[in-house]
Amino acid sequence: MSSIFDKYIHGVEETETILFTGKVTRVKGMLIESQGPQSVIGEICVIKIPYGNASVMAEVVGLDENTVQLMAYGETKGIEVGCDVVASGNVLRVGVGENLLGRVLDATGHAYDKKGEIVPEAYYPAVASPPDPLDRKSITERIVTGVRAIDSLLAVGKGQRLGIFAGSGVGKSTLLGMIARNTNADINVIALIGERGREVVDFLERDLGEEGLKRSVVIAATSDQSPLCRLRGAYVATAVAEYFRDIKRQNVLLLIDNIFRFVQAGNEVSSLMGRIPSHVGYQSTLA
């Protein structure tokens, strides 16, 4: 059972006594290069902004000899050559627990709904390895979506992936809200990736509703945020869903709206790093 001292105990446990630091040498859009610190791919770093005692959270996305390439989760405003870069020693982790129910999180797993700080029961890595294919269970049980048109015509199994494809503005998010409110799954984990800020509020108030939110965890990474936020938002949602599945042994319905903007964010991250030209998209191939 958690106590009021849990967050302070966790803060002491997470305190690094030896800091690995570096200096910013170049800023190009969302991509930041620094000389040091010693770090690994995926490690979270903090860039100190000298004015206003502010800081920006960033992730190590590339290493080139002594040059560390980072991508910021927030705005790069105020970052200049010479800013301190401090390595955290940790990859992106998500604080998980029963108190996530009814809450809205951002792309880093922190509270986004201004309802107070979330004290986690445990931490899950946001980017984890997939399970062994031979350990996957066969799909033998059917789930109820609560939408008669789906339940009467389609067989939706527990553990199955299901895609909803339609043009913009025809009701995909509304349908997801109907499923989240009426499904027989124990918990919903909903990732809103690349949505406009207004659309997030509309989904929470009109599509999901108060009753649906009570047994849901919502992760929002809006279109005005960095591509890394939109990319990691889906991973954070998956980590939360895996926690309730593995630790709490509950049936979890994971909804991502939408998967195209998640893929688009990955394309933007690769473009910023120079791996693929910005004008080149994902092309289909025939097997």
Side-chain angles (χ1 to χ4, degrees):
M1 186 174 180
S2 60
S3 69
I4 59 174
F5 299 105
D6 285 351
K7 63 179 181 180
Y8 302 110
I9 295 173
H10 171 71
V12 173
E13 291 174 345
E14 292 294 307
T15 301
E16 290 287 342
T17 55
I18 301 176
L19 299 180
F20 293 94
T21 62
K23 296 287 186 182
V24 172
T25 57
R26 186 186 183 195
V27 180
K28 185 179 181 182
M30 301 302 297
L31 188 65
I32 303 159
E33 294 183 354
S34 67
Q35 196 74 15
Q38 180 180 333
S39 53
V40 298
I41 295 293
E43 185 170 345
I44 299 299
C45 296
V46 175
I47 302 173
K48 303 288 187 179
I49 298 177
Y51 309 106
N53 197 27
S55 61
V56 175
M57 182 177 171
E59 181 178 317
V60 178
V61 295
L63 299 171
D64 184 8
E65 295 182 353
N66 293 328
T67 299
V68 178
Q69 295 178 320
L70 306 110
M71 194 161 291
Y73 278 91
E75 294 184 1
T76 56
K77 182 179 179 181
I79 299 177
E80 62 184 12
V81 173
C83 285
D84 290 330
V85 181
V86 182
S88 68
N90 297 310
V91 297
L92 181 63
R93 300 184 301 166
V94 188
V96 291
E98 288 285 352
N99 53 4
L100 291 183
L101 292 176
R103 301 298 301 270
V104 182
L105 312 180
D106 63 14
T108 61
H110 295 95
Y112 201 28
D113 52 11
K114 299 179 182 178
K115 292 183 180 180
E117 186 179 354
I118 299 174
V119 180
E121 297 176 9
Y123 282 87
Y124 253 50
V127 183
S129 301
D132 190 291
L134 298 181
D135 292 335
R136 294 179 182 268
K137 297 180 180 180
S138 300
I139 299 175
T140 57
E141 298 180 51
R142 188 173 181 177
I143 67 168
V144 176
T145 65
V147 180
R148 293 179 181 177
I150 297 177
D151 293 333
S152 60
L153 299 175
L154 302 174
V156 182
K158 185 187 297 184
Q160 179 181 345
R161 295 175 182 173
L162 185 67
I164 300 173
F165 300 91
S168 59
V170 299
K172 296 188 299 296
S173 297
T174 301
L175 180 57
L176 289 180
M178 293 172 61
I179 295 173
R181 291 195 309 271
N182 300 300
T183 181
N184 65 345
D186 300 318
I187 289 175
N188 304 307
V189 178
I190 306 169
L192 303 177
I193 307 299
E195 300 289 323
R196 302 177 186 91
R198 172 185 54 79
E199 293 173 335
V200 173
V201 176
D202 287 346
F203 178 84
L204 293 175
E205 295 180 352
R206 297 193 305 183
D207 298 330
L208 187 59
E210 185 177 348
E211 290 300 317
L213 184 60
K214 285 182 180 178
R215 63 189 188 107
S216 301
V217 183
V218 179
I219 293 87
T222 54
S223 58
D224 59 337
Q225 295 178 342
S226 73
L228 186 62
C229 282
R230 286 177 270 133
L231 186 68
R232 290 292 179 248
Y235 284 101
V236 167
T238 303
V240 172
E242 289 174 345
Y243 164 77
F244 284 105
R245 179 199 65 187
D246 298 337
I247 306 301
K248 298 300 182 179
R249 299 297 180 184
Q250 293 175 313
N251 295 323
V252 185
L253 178 64
L254 174 61
L255 302 171
I256 299 180
D257 185 12
N258 65 45
I259 200 68
F260 167 74
R261 288 171 180 154
F262 164 73
V263 175
Q264 193 176 43
N267 190 13
E268 291 179 35
V269 171
S270 296
S271 298
L272 289 170
M273 296 181 63
R275 291 176 178 172
I276 53 177
S278 58
H279 63 279
V280 176
Y282 287 93
Q283 299 178 355
S284 60
T285 58
L286 296 177

